[in-house]
Amino acid sequence: MPDHSQSSSQRIVEAANAVFLKGGVMPISLADVAEIAGVSRSLIYSHFPTQHDLMNGVLQLHVPVIERVSELARRSQSAQDALLQSALAYFDAMLEDGPTLALAPNDSFLSGRVSEAFQTASMNCLHTLARSAKSIFNVSAREAVSSIVMLKSLPDEAALLAWNGQIEAEICRETLEDSFKRAIESMTYHDAVYPVG
């Protein structure tokens, strides 16, 4: 039953998110979105002229998660804590809201069509985390960004496993924490074995 205290636009975006999470692929069924949101398909089109616009609306729902992860990284006591706590917060948010952030931004349907606002939030978060990675791993800014992109796959995959019921959420979180610490250790090991100079 739709919550009619929300705006129709908000109901549509939340319904689209639910439909996307159920199927995991784009484009999504607008008939299903309309049914869940309790609106007509024409109302969906009046708010979101294309499915790309609708899916960008869905991504906007998740920008606060990205902003929380960035803020958590900025406030952390150490660079390692920034990366670990950010990964765990990101995982927890995907468990609560669904793994849209692990799936939708990379879907070929949105290729080249992700909104500037979402891209900006994502890039700000990436660069915040990369500053921590740069200091931990003693690497260039480019290598730090690459390491964050690689490390992001750990909470993404853990959230997908938990969301799909393949592994219990608590076990996924514990394994993620352990794997993340080990990944950071292994990425700093090279510098200890092969010191610069």
Side-chain angles (χ1 to χ4, degrees):
M1 185 85 177
D3 178 0
H4 291 288
S5 66
Q6 295 178 310
S7 72
S8 57
S9 176
Q10 184 70 21
R11 289 194 325 266
I12 291 167
V13 168
E14 288 179 5
N17 187 57
V19 170
F20 173 70
L21 287 172
K22 184 177 178 187
V25 295
M26 294 182 236
I28 58 174
S29 164
L30 292 183
D32 291 348
V33 172
E35 182 180 332
I36 292 169
V39 299
S40 66
R41 285 179 66 171
S42 62
L43 184 60
I44 293 172
Y45 284 117
S46 73
H47 287 291
F48 304 98
T50 70
Q51 279 222 21
H52 299 106
D53 296 328
L54 177 57
M55 290 311 297
N56 273 301
V58 168
L59 290 177
Q60 278 306 118
L61 272 180
H62 299 278
V63 166
V65 170
I66 296 168
E67 291 169 343
R68 277 195 312 273
V69 167
S70 292
E71 184 58 30
L72 186 59
R74 279 191 289 276
R75 289 191 331 237
S76 293
Q77 298 295 333
S78 71
Q80 283 188 317
D81 190 50
L83 294 185
L84 177 61
Q85 294 309 314
S86 296
L88 293 173
Y90 176 62
F91 171 80
D92 291 341
M94 285 194 291
L95 276 189
E96 186 174 322
D97 302 332
T100 302
L101 287 173
L103 298 169
N106 302 318
D107 192 292
S108 62
F109 181 77
L110 282 179
S111 181
R113 294 186 171 114
V114 174
S115 74
E116 189 173 325
F118 183 83
Q119 287 181 33
T120 299
S122 296
M123 292 308 288
N124 287 341
C125 185
L126 176 64
H127 289 282
T128 298
L129 294 169
R131 280 191 289 280
S132 294
K134 188 173 189 278
S135 71
I136 295 169
F137 306 136
N138 195 24
V139 295
S140 70
R142 175 183 229 133
E143 291 166 326
V145 167
S146 295
S147 69
I148 294 303
V149 170
M150 183 189 73
L151 286 169
K152 180 185 174 288
S153 67
L154 293 172
D156 281 348
E157 292 304 317
L160 289 169
L161 289 169
W163 182 262
N164 292 324
Q166 293 172 289
I167 301 176
E168 290 180 36
E170 186 176 319
I171 292 171
C172 274
R173 192 177 200 283
E174 289 170 6
T175 304
L176 168 63
E177 185 171 3
D178 185 56
S179 298
F180 211 84
K181 287 176 183 176
R182 288 175 189 267
I184 290 172
E185 275 178 28
S186 71
M187 293 170 88
T188 56
Y189 179 74
H190 181 276
D191 204 37
V193 175
Y194 304 103
V196 178

